[in-house]
């Protein structure tokens, strides 16, 4: 596959190509006419073999809170539910899950006070070490910074730090699914105020329905989930990239190809 997804380890998309060539099918639950999946019931159409669609296992549970006015057919959140059904739950606002351990939950959204995942992990580890942030005043700033970086990057033992094998610092990640102009209604909800916010700054969207006036770093929901998990694997689980989550973009990358092929064809004939 050419384009921005060329380096991904994606499962074969022949089933999608064949399904598209054959035309629309039916949702096995509601009977609606759909192409690949029913965006209302979050299931594949009856003529698309589930054995030919990948399943992705996530390292933590994911809650997606969808704005009630978000158009189901335009949302990419359903991709996550279909491809990782055991780990993803979609709620329609004002329905929000109850977070019994808020310190184990991350809200992925760029609001004031949010940190990158890298900064959050650094902050937490500094707190365990009893080290002040590097920005704080310190008479021996350079010496302090050197000591801090050695500890953070594991080049010397960390006094008093206990590591428990198999225990992850976070259990859930929460995403908001709506247009950026609709986010305030959800993000200001008091039930989300106690959650640590993390933001994604390094990635640009490839969504074909770009929101006018918004920066290219404002991602579609499935993009945000994918890039978050890529960073989570490296920064929290301390594993090199494995491509384990590439198939979250299985539908998205295929649709991207269709949209851009159609645009190219239109330009050619114009």
């Amino acid at each position: 596959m050419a384009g921005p997804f060329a380096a991904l380890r994606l499962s074969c998309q022949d089933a999608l190509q064949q399904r598209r060539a054959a035309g629309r099918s039916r949702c096995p639950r509601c009977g609606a006419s759909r192409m690949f999946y029913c965006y209302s019931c979050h299931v594949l159409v009856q003529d698309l073999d589930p054995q030919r669609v990948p399943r992705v296992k996530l390292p933590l549970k994911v809650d997606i809170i969808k704005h009630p006015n978000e158009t189901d057919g335009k949302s990419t959140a359903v991709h996550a539910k279909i491809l990782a059904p055991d780990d993803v739950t979609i709620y329609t606002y004002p329905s929000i899950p109850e977070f019994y351990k808020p310190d184990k939950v991350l809200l992925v959204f760029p609001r004031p006070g949010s940190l990158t995942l890298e900064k959050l992990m650094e902050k937490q580890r500094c707190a365990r070490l009893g080290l002040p942030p590097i920005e704080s005043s310190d008479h021996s700033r350079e010496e302090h910074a050197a000591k801090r970086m050695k500890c953070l990057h594991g080049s010397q033992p960390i006094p008093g730090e206990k590591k428990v094998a198999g225990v992850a610092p976070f259990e859930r990640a929460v995403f908001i699914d709506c247009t950026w102009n609709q986010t305030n209604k959800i993000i200001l909800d008091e039930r989300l105020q106690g959650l640590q916010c993390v933001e994604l700054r390094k990635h640009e969207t490839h969504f074909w329905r770009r929101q006018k006036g918004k920066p290219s770093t404002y991602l579609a929901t499935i993009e945000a989930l994918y890039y978050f998990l890529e960073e989570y694997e490296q920064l929290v689980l301390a594993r090199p990239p494995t491509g384990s989550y590439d198939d979250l973009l299985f539908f998205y990358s295929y649709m991207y190809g269709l949209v851009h092929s159609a645009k190219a064809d239109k330009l050619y004939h114009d």
Side-chain angles (χ1 to χ4, degrees):
M1 174 182 291
F5 309 106
L8 300 187
R9 300 176 183 176
L10 290 166
S11 294
C12 178
Q13 296 173 327
D14 286 353
L16 300 184
Q17 188 66 26
Q18 292 164 10
R19 178 73 259 127
R20 179 170 176 266
R24 299 167 76 87
S25 183
R26 294 284 176 183
C27 170
R29 292 185 183 174
C30 70
S33 174
R34 303 285 190 247
M35 181 59 72
F36 305 118
Y37 53 79
C38 180
Y39 42 75
S40 302
C41 301
H42 307 161
V43 295
L44 299 172
V45 294
Q46 60 188 15
D47 292 324
L48 182 54
D49 184 355
Q51 298 300 317
R52 301 181 69 188
V53 175
R55 295 281 290 265
V56 184
K57 179 64 181 172
L58 308 186
L60 72 178
K61 298 300 180 184
V62 170
D63 298 310
I64 300 175
I65 303 171
K66 176 183 168 295
H67 193 284
N69 294 335
E70 176 72 359
T71 304
D72 288 342
K74 294 182 179 180
S75 171
T76 62
V78 65
H79 298 185
K81 179 60 181 175
I82 291 175
L83 296 167
D86 297 332
D87 298 315
V88 174
T89 305
I90 298 177
Y91 299 83
T92 300
Y93 188 82
S95 179
I96 288 180
E98 190 165 353
F99 303 111
Y100 297 101
K101 295 186 283 185
D103 59 316
K104 294 280 190 179
V105 181
L106 294 175
L107 174 58
V108 184
F109 190 84
R111 70 179 178 188
S114 63
L115 302 171
T116 63
L117 197 53
E118 183 177 18
K119 287 291 185 184
L120 175 61
M121 297 309 296
E122 182 179 307
K123 177 182 175 182
Q124 291 195 347
R125 201 161 189 217
C126 278
R128 292 198 299 271
L129 297 173
L131 291 172
I134 196 168
E135 293 79 10
S136 64
S137 59
D138 193 310
H139 294 299
S140 56
R141 183 180 178 85
E142 291 185 3
E143 180 182 346
H144 164 72
K147 177 182 176 183
R148 177 173 173 274
M149 294 308 293
K150 284 182 181 179
C151 287
L152 289 175
H153 294 287
S155 57
Q156 70 180 47
I158 301 173
E161 184 179 47
K162 296 180 180 179
K163 293 186 177 180
V164 182
V167 177
F170 304 106
E171 296 176 357
R172 312 192 77 82
V174 181
F175 294 80
I176 309 299
D177 183 56
C178 61
T179 64
W180 287 95
N181 293 329
Q182 295 172 329
T183 55
N184 280 347
K185 182 173 183 178
I186 299 177
I187 203 64
L188 295 177
D189 191 291
E190 62 180 10
R191 292 170 289 178
L192 298 178
Q193 298 314 300
L195 304 182
Q196 173 63 56
C197 255
V198 296
E199 61 177 298
L200 303 165
R201 296 179 182 173
K202 301 177 182 179
H203 315 285
E204 294 191 351
T205 185
H206 297 294
F207 196 36
W208 45 94
R209 295 191 185 96
R210 284 281 301 277
Q211 295 181 46
K212 192 173 182 179
K214 301 301 180 184
S216 60
T217 52
Y218 279 21
L219 307 172
T221 302
I222 195 65
E223 289 177 310
L225 175 57
Y226 170 74
Y227 287 124
F228 167 77
L229 290 172
E230 286 285 288
E231 292 190 9
Y232 189 87
E233 184 172 47
Q234 297 176 59
L235 298 171
V236 180
L237 302 180
R239 297 197 301 241
T242 60
S244 302
Y245 315 116
D246 287 4
D247 270 332
L248 286 174
L249 299 178
F250 179 74
F251 291 113
Y252 187 81
S253 60
Y254 181 77
M255 292 176 182
Y256 173 92
L258 291 181
V259 169
H260 282 264
S261 292
K263 286 181 179 179
D265 186 60
K266 184 177 185 300
L267 286 173
Y268 178 79
H269 286 93
D270 285 350

